[in-house]
């Protein structure tokens, strides 16, 4: 381990935080549009439509399960992006406060 100084750019960290916020906002907007989707179920209620939507005896393989899992994953991603933005902005503030003291 060396004693080399660590350099940080608080303004750059804030710019990165804003980028994370922008990506989060856009991703959330896309997710909201996808979740709203079109009304109804275009695959129908016949045997083929039911197999497509709910899997052929295995709900894990159906469209609905995959769709719901994707929505859940993207919601989690939005949360991670938001948290990264907060952490970067907070870190920038803490670095500046440490330099001032």
């Amino acid at each position: 381990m060396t004693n080399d100084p660590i350099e940080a750019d608080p303004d750059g960290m804030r710019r990165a935080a804003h980028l994370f916020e922008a990506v989060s906002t856009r991703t959330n907007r896309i997710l909201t549009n996808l979740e709203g989707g079109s009304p109804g179920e275009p695959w129908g209620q016949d045997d083929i439509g039911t197999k497509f939507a709910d899997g052929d005896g295995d709900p894990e393989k159906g469209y609905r399960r995959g769709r719901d899992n994707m929505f859940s994953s993207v919601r989690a991603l939005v949360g991670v992006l938001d948290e990264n933005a907060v952490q970067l902005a907070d870190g920038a503030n803490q670095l500046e406060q440490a330099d001032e003291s």
Side-chain angles (χ1 to χ4, degrees):
M1 188 167 159
T2 66
N3 291 326
D4 294 337
I6 296 174
E7 292 184 29
D9 177 7
D11 290 332
M13 292 169 69
R14 286 188 190 90
R15 284 190 299 275
H18 289 298
L19 292 173
F20 272 100
E21 288 173 350
V23 172
S24 173
T25 298
R26 185 168 184 211
T27 303
N28 195 48
R29 190 175 317 126
I30 292 168
L31 176 62
T32 299
N33 288 339
L34 288 172
E35 286 177 322
S38 59
E41 298 177 338
W43 49 80
Q45 299 299 321
D46 60 358
D47 189 49
I48 294 172
T50 300
K51 286 178 182 177
F52 171 78
D54 298 322
D56 189 11
D58 183 0
E60 292 293 322
K61 294 182 180 177
Y63 169 81
R64 285 185 180 125
R65 180 64 55 99
R67 175 201 60 200
D68 294 345
N69 287 341
M70 185 271 303
F71 287 162
S72 178
S73 295
V74 174
R75 256 186 245 105
L77 174 62
V78 167
V80 169
L81 293 168
D82 286 339
E83 185 61 25
N84 285 346
V86 168
Q87 293 297 325
L88 280 166
D90 287 350
N93 293 336
Q94 291 173 7
L95 284 170
E96 283 184 339
Q97 289 171 359
D99 280 348
E100 291 171 3
S101 56

